[in-house]
Amino acid sequence: MKYMLIMRVTDEAIEASKDIPFEQIIEDMGKYNEAMMKAGVLLAGEGLSDADEGFVVDFSSETPLVTDGPYGETKELFNGFWILEVASKEEAAEWAKRAPLGPGTKLEVRRVTGVEDFPQDNEWIQKEEGWRDELEGRKA
Amino acid sequence: MARTPTERGPDRSESVRRSVAAVWRIESARIVATLTRTVGDFGRAEDLAQEALADALAQWPETGVPANPGAWLTTVAKRKAIDGWRRQERYDARLAAIAHDLGTEAADSDDVPWDPDRIDDDVLRLVFVSCHPVLSREARVALTLKVVGGLSSDEIARAFLVPTSTVQQRIVRAKKTLAAAKVPFVVPERAEFGERLAAVLGVLYLVFNEGHSASAGDDWMRPELSREALRLARVLAELVPREPEVHGLVALMELTAARFPARLDANGDPVLLADQDRRRWDRGAITRGRTALTRADALGRGRGAYALQAAIAECHAVAASVGDTDWERIVLLYEALGRLAPSPVVELNRAAAVSMAVGPAAALEIVDSIVADGRLAGYRFLPATRAELLTRLGRTAEARVEFAAAARLTANERERRLLLDRVAAMSPPDDGRDPAL
């Protein structure tokens, strides 16, 4: 099964991380990624840039509103993810526990849905699969 | 103390048991590899690790899972080794060394107590020991899954549809064989390396195929078996990244696994490649497979047998339909494969590709030469393929005979029914004699 580890970080955690040398953070994260690579479970992973480079689309009003922020009530922002292929929920938890993260940071762990999670006879599910094919074809 | 989220649930001991299983899966190869280096005996190391695992299962439900479970298991196993030697009153240099080792580890037990580069090397040795040529193929498979993959005897037994006691016996025998043959815990010498690596890849591919061609029994575990083989191949690719065939095997497995979601219909019956709903293929797996193939190619030593098969799978993976498939390229890839790893099955597959690229007549010539060769006698796909080609050529009377022959050779009831339907759909010759029956 596939799991997504979503890193969520608070302002305090970002502040606290400024005391740690950047090289150290890179090294710790590199070792963590390498461990998952070497265990054959890491499928993908990306980091996200700081929130001030992002923006928000709010669907609260009749027409979606695009703003630079604020990010609403939540102080916890996603700033990176990993996708793992593991044998169990517990294995996903074990890997998550090993992430080199400090106080103020949380990992949200979610199972990634597969084809089996959707009704295959649905026309739109079928269309989406077709689009994925097209995208893949373009990359090829 | 680190805790898993589920530990707050009602059945905490079950949840801890599952956490222990997860830790074991992640850590077992490194633990056994480290122990083998320390105690100098692979079989003993595996037993010690298992005893430590039993301790964890007994203690962790009470104490919680330790922060560094791998180090905990290693330390407990080493203590058990010392206890064993003390009982035998063998206070030798080895005991002194391991005791000293434990002393230094205790000091920085929060830290990772091993050198990653050395561990990699140890795990690679472990892979080579588990797949050693003195062992039978069954023993290599069982030992690799158990010791490198961290699967339990129960899981292996379930996957191969044999009793647990059979798996346990295979593993015990395998360890005794390795000890009797005095197999050293080393990576083979350069001269022997390629051959031994090929044996290792062969074991992983065998495991993968066992899961892939699930046709009987509880097939729920079998896709897991293929995934485990794929994971172990990825592990191996990180251990020996400069060996193109390792990446070739990863590519082949990824590209084959990509089709898993489309391989069975709603009734759980197999769906042939031509009939598969390609929209259900796993795009992520296809991308990873193609990346692995690129890695193999980047080493600049040409494609081996696994990479060539991966390239064939890639041709299918990128085609929108059977008609859109680059069959000429597939024919060339099969020709290359046939030279590298000659086999009548590869020839038969080449014939199928030729029938798509050129036409049934050219393909029939190849099939007839395989029939004449005689090595595939009794292989049901030979008459079945011949029957398909004869049908396309309009030679239905001969096709009928071949379909009936294929039906007699299959052990699979559903397949037999399909083949007999084909026989029934073609009318027998007018003279009243039915050569098919």
Side-chain angles (χ1 to χ4, degrees), chain A residues 39-116:
Chain A
V41 296
L42 183 65
L43 298 186
E46 298 290 347
L48 304 182
S49 70
D50 288 347
D52 56 20
E53 288 181 48
F55 54 87
V56 168
V57 182
D58 187 343
F59 293 87
S60 306
S61 48
E62 207 163 298
T63 48
L65 183 66
V66 180
T67 66
D68 286 342
Y71 285 84
E73 296 304 314
T74 175
K75 289 204 174 72
E76 294 176 333
L77 295 176
F78 298 159
N79 70 341
F81 70 89
W82 293 270
I83 293 185
L84 309 185
E85 187 166 81
V86 291
S88 65
K89 181 181 172 183
E90 287 76 13
E91 196 183 332
E94 269 307 313
W95 282 112
K97 278 157 53 177
R98 289 158 194 238
L101 302 171
T105 312
K106 284 179 187 163
L107 274 184
E108 183 178 333
V109 183
R110 306 273 296 269
R111 188 173 66 81
V112 177
T113 54
V115 278
E116 66 280 3

Side-chain angles (χ1 to χ4, degrees), chain B residues 69-80:
Chain B
W72 189 98
L73 288 165
T74 310
T75 305
V76 167
K78 282 184 181 174
R79 287 210 187 101
K80 284 176 187 296

Side-chain angles (χ1 to χ4, degrees), chain B residues 35-58:
Chain B
L35 285 169
T36 307
R37 180 160 41 75
T38 325
V39 305
D41 174 347
F42 164 79
R44 178 90 187 107
E46 222 268 322
D47 292 342
L48 289 167
Q50 291 287 337
E51 287 170 30
L53 180 67
D55 279 14
L57 280 166

Side-chain angles (χ1 to χ4, degrees), chain A residues 1 85-88, chain B residues 25 145 151 159 207 211 219-231 260:
Chain A
M1 355 172 163
E85 187 166 81
V86 291
S88 65
Chain B
R25 206 175 130 83
L145 287 175
L151 267 65
V207 173
D219 53 13
W220 65 271
M221 177 62 198
R222 301 195 140 203
E224 290 306 316
L225 196 58
S226 292
R227 279 191 203 101
E228 180 60 21
L230 178 48
R231 182 180 75 86
F260 283 4

Side-chain angles (χ1 to χ4, degrees), chain B residues 338 341-347 369-379 382:
Chain B
S343 112
V345 175
V346 170
E347 272 301 279
S369 71
I370 302 170
V371 173
D373 174 82
R375 276 186 300 162
L376 274 190
Y379 186 65
L382 185 59

Side-chain angles (χ1 to χ4, degrees), chain B residues 76-408:
Chain B
V76 167
K78 282 184 181 174
R79 287 210 187 101
K80 284 176 187 296
I82 291 180
D83 290 346
W85 284 325
R86 281 206 178 116
R87 272 199 298 278
Q88 295 167 24
E89 297 182 60
R90 282 181 49 196
Y91 291 92
D92 56 9
R94 205 154 50 174
L95 174 58
I98 191 173
H100 175 263
D101 224 25
L102 271 177
T104 48
E105 264 168 36
D108 53 10
S109 62
D110 283 344
D111 222 338
V112 182
W114 41 55
D115 171 357
D117 289 335
R118 184 161 199 187
I119 289 294
D120 284 356
D121 205 34
D122 284 345
V123 173
L124 187 60
R125 293 177 204 184
L126 198 60
V127 173
F128 279 113
V129 171
S130 303
C131 294
H132 198 279
V134 298
L135 300 175
S136 71
R137 218 151 64 139
E138 290 83 8
R140 288 186 214 174
V141 166
L143 211 53
T144 303
L145 287 175
K146 180 108 194 289
V147 180
V148 188
L151 267 65
S152 69
S153 299
D154 276 340
E155 287 172 313
I156 300 168
R158 215 155 50 216
F160 285 95
L161 311 171
V162 295
T164 303
S165 58
T166 305
V167 171
Q168 285 166 341
Q169 280 161 15
R170 274 181 199 166
I171 287 166
V172 168
R173 268 190 70 85
K175 284 194 236 169
K176 283 183 181 161
T177 306
L178 290 171
K182 297 200 182 301
V183 170
F185 183 58
V186 290
V187 173
E189 292 294 324
R190 199 66 229 170
E192 206 197 329
F193 185 88
E195 200 180 310
R196 290 283 298 281
L197 182 68
V200 172
L201 297 177
V203 165
L204 295 184
Y205 194 42
L206 191 72
V207 173
F208 182 85
N209 278 330
E210 186 61 31
H212 167 242
S213 46
S215 51
D218 309 353
D219 53 13
W220 65 271
M221 177 62 198
R222 301 195 140 203
E224 290 306 316
L225 196 58
S226 292
R227 279 191 203 101
E228 180 60 21
L230 178 48
R231 182 180 75 86
L232 291 177
R234 288 188 196 127
V235 170
L236 197 60
E238 293 306 315
L239 293 174
V240 285
R242 303 211 40 83
E243 294 296 328
E245 272 294 79
V246 178
H247 301 297
L249 182 62
V250 170
L252 174 58
M253 288 181 178
E254 291 277 17
L255 288 162
T256 309
R259 294 183 207 149
F260 283 4
R263 280 188 74 245
L264 297 177
D265 66 15
N267 301 322
D269 288 325
V271 183
L272 295 177
L273 174 66
D275 303 324
Q276 286 176 11
D277 180 354
R278 291 172 185 235
R279 291 169 304 199
R280 301 189 70 177
W281 287 356
D282 180 343
R283 313 313 309 181
I286 290 171
T287 306
R288 289 194 297 280
R290 303 185 75 192
T291 306
L293 195 53
T294 309
R295 270 183 95 180
D297 290 344
L299 290 164
R301 279 151 58 193
R303 288 175 172 175
Y306 293 118
L308 283 172
Q309 292 175 78
I312 293 165
E314 185 186 36
C315 287
H316 294 300
V318 299
S321 67
V322 173
D324 272 353
T325 309
D326 189 347
W327 291 104
E328 279 91 3
R329 187 173 166 75
I330 293 179
V331 169
L332 292 175
L333 288 165
Y334 271 123
E335 276 174 15
L337 183 61
R339 296 220 177 84
L340 216 56
S343 112
V345 175
V346 170
E347 272 301 279
L348 190 60
N349 287 331
R350 182 170 74 89
V354 165
S355 83
M356 298 302 289
V358 185
L364 189 61
E365 279 180 36
I366 301 171
V367 172
D368 285 345
S369 71
I370 302 170
V371 173
D373 174 82
R375 276 186 300 162
L376 274 190
Y379 186 65
R380 65 189 192 280
F381 290 118
L382 185 59
T385 306
R386 198 160 186 274
E388 293 291 350
L389 296 174
L390 289 166
T391 309
R392 282 176 60 193
L393 289 166
R395 291 158 63 175
T396 48
E398 291 164 84
R400 226 171 150 258
V401 176
E402 292 287 0
F403 275 126
R408 280 193 297 275

